[in-house]
């Protein structure tokens, strides 16, 4: 049976989660959030909104289930290959001039894009002087990222993406297959630091030359997108780069005037001098 979730009930739930746990979903894109909470009620067989509310308020462990449902963790390696080709050919030559390269992957999900970055850096001989901070709101996704273990069945697609992004090696050199899973080469992980970070509430924690935040802002409303752009602006060095997803843009944010798009359709912007 499908239980109806009203807008008022959704507001109540958002307030509860904010008050009890400090997670603020108030500025997530409303229709998508509504759909996801309604789906949670169906899948976990709640018979009323009151029951869901009681569960969330009384069972701290159930919060991670809610976060799993609200945060869409779909991702892949070398997603949008031309984006990675642009990083390799247009952005890395600039980063190569720095003694230490600090990169932030915000909303990295289960880590596939972070391994893609590490592979690119390694092939450009930049990995040893890079530090990659990879963050997400979802601790379950981060533990998959840390383990670096993925289904073997996905490797064919990732290998094709890698080649389309200009990769010239045999992609299988970057993992070891065990039964139907693969483990990513630990040489790739040595410069990666994983941590939870909530873009809706947490602040800046370092200065970076490159920030990647792809397919995350599409789940936020304009207010939250603007908060995040200010956070990125505070966290980016002068002349640093921001890479977004194919449907995202910095153009309508209040920091837009300080940025110039550098990679055509590939959604990479460069900040002016500070
Ligand atoms: C669709 S995935 C994108 C993954 C990857 N960046 C990519 O493009 O393939 C969206 C990610 O954003 C994360 N996310 C959602 N809200 C967040 C928040 N407030 N702070 C940090 N990460 C968040 C989700 O947990 C999820 O892992």
């Amino acid at each position: 049976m499908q239980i109806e979730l009203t807008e008022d009930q959704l507001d109540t739930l958002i307030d509860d989660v904010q008050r009890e746990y400090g997670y603020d979903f108030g500025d997530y894109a409303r229709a998508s959030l509504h759909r996801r909470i309604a789906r949670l009620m169906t899948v976990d067989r709640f018979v009323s909104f009151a029951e869901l509310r009681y569960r969330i308020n009384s069972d701290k462990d159930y919060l991670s289930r809610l976060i799993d449902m609200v945060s869409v963790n779909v991702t892949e390696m070398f997603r949008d290959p031309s984006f990675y080709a642009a990083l390799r050919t247009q952005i890395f030559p600039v980063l190569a001039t720095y003694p230490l390269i600090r990169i932030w992957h915000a909303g990295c999900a289960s880590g596939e894009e972070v391994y893609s970055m590490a592979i690119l850096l390694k092939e450009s001989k930049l990995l040893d002087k890079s530090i990659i901070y990879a963050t997400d709101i979802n601790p379950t996704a981060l533990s998959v990222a840390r383990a670096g273990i993925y289904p073997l069945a996905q490797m064919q697609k990732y290998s094709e993406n890698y080649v389309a992004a200009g990769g010239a090696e045999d992609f299988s050199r970057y993992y070891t297959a065990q039964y139907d899973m693969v483990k990513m080469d630990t040489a790739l992980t040595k410069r990666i630091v994983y941590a939870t970070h909530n873009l809706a509430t947490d602040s800046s924690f370092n200065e970076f030359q490159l920030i990647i935040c792809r397919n995350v802002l599409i789940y936020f409303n304009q207010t939250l997108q603007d908060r995040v752009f200010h956070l990125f602006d505070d966290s980016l060095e002068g002349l640093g780069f921001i890479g977004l997803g194919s449907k995202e843009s910095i153009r309508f944010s209040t920091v837009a005037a300080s940025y110039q798009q550098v990679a055509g359709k590939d959604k990479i912007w460069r900040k002016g001098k500070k």
Side-chain angles (χ1 to χ4, degrees), residues 28 71-75 79 107 109 113 136 198-199 214-215:
Y28 276 50
S71 63
V72 184
N73 298 126
V74 179
T75 186
R79 186 180 197 175
E113 70 172 22
D136 201 280
N198 186 344
L199 291 165
R214 308 192 69 221
N215 308 300

Side-chain angles (χ1 to χ4, degrees), residues 29-96:
R30 189 74 181 192
S32 153
L33 184 68
H34 196 136
R35 217 171 29 245
R36 286 172 189 285
I37 302 287
R39 187 168 149 67
L40 179 71
M41 290 176 71
T42 307
V43 172
D44 287 359
R45 297 170 187 272
F46 288 103
V47 294
S48 66
F49 172 71
E51 197 187 312
L52 168 68
R53 192 176 176 203
Y54 176 76
R55 179 75 185 270
I56 284 175
N57 285 316
S58 61
D59 179 358
K60 191 157 69 66
D61 294 339
Y62 194 71
L63 180 73
S64 60
R65 171 84 180 130
L66 180 94
I67 292 174
D68 282 348
M69 202 51 132
V70 168
S71 63
V72 184
N73 298 126
V74 179
T75 186
E76 61 186 53
M77 287 188 197
F78 294 97
R79 186 180 197 175
D80 306 322
S82 66
F83 175 85
Y84 288 90
L87 281 181
R88 194 197 291 263
T89 57
Q90 296 180 53
I91 310 304
F92 281 11
V94 179
L95 298 184

Side-chain angles (χ1 to χ4, degrees), residues 1 34 39 41 47 61 78 92 97 104 110 112 125 129 137 144 155 172 177 193 204 255-256:
M1 188 181 55
H34 196 136
R39 187 168 149 67
M41 290 176 71
V47 294
D61 294 339
F78 294 97
F92 281 11
T97 63
W104 178 16
S110 40
E112 285 84 339
K125 304 203 175 357
K129 66 167 179 169
I137 193 179
V144 176
M155 291 302 133
S172 65
V193 180
S204 173
V255 300

Side-chain angles (χ1 to χ4, degrees), residues 247-266:
K247 298 188 194 71
E248 295 160 333
S249 177
I250 205 167
R251 208 147 41 102
F252 306 108
S253 86
T254 50
V255 300
S258 316
Y259 289 83
Q260 275 215 320
Q261 196 165 359
V262 289
K265 67 177 180 48
D266 282 306

Side-chain angles (χ1 to χ4, degrees), residues 5 23 55 81 91 94 97 103 106 112 122 144 151 165 170 186 211-212 227 251-252:
L5 175 73
Y23 283 94
R55 179 75 185 270
I91 310 304
V94 179
T97 63
I103 299 170
E112 285 84 339
K122 189 168 171 27
V144 176
D170 177 353
T186 48
I211 297 176
I212 306 286
R227 178 198 196 271
R251 208 147 41 102
F252 306 108

Side-chain angles (χ1 to χ4, degrees), residues 67-185:
I67 292 174
D68 282 348
M69 202 51 132
V70 168
S71 63
V72 184
N73 298 126
V74 179
T75 186
E76 61 186 53
M77 287 188 197
F78 294 97
R79 186 180 197 175
D80 306 322
S82 66
F83 175 85
Y84 288 90
L87 281 181
R88 194 197 291 263
T89 57
Q90 296 180 53
I91 310 304
F92 281 11
V94 179
L95 298 184
T97 63
Y98 296 119
L100 177 66
I101 304 167
R102 288 182 306 276
I103 299 170
W104 178 16
H105 279 269
C108 69
S110 40
E112 285 84 339
E113 70 172 22
V114 190
Y115 286 101
S116 311
M117 176 66 78
I119 289 170
L120 277 192
L121 288 166
K122 189 168 171 27
E123 293 186 355
S124 303
K125 304 203 175 357
L126 297 176
L127 185 59
D128 287 341
K129 66 167 179 169
S130 302
I131 301 185
I132 307 172
Y133 293 86
T135 65
D136 201 280
I137 193 179
N138 186 333
T140 318
L142 282 176
S143 48
V144 176
R146 269 192 205 96
I149 296 173
Y150 302 108
L152 176 62
Q154 289 170 351
M155 291 302 133
Q156 177 66 34
K157 161 92 175 140
Y158 294 171
S159 170
E160 287 164 14
N161 284 355
Y162 164 76
V163 171
E169 303 290 334
D170 177 353
F171 189 64
S172 65
R173 69 180 289 186
Y174 295 116
Y175 59 80
T176 313
Q178 287 163 341
Y179 302 100
D180 54 352
M181 302 300 278
V182 306
K183 168 115 179 77
M184 299 308 291
D185 183 353

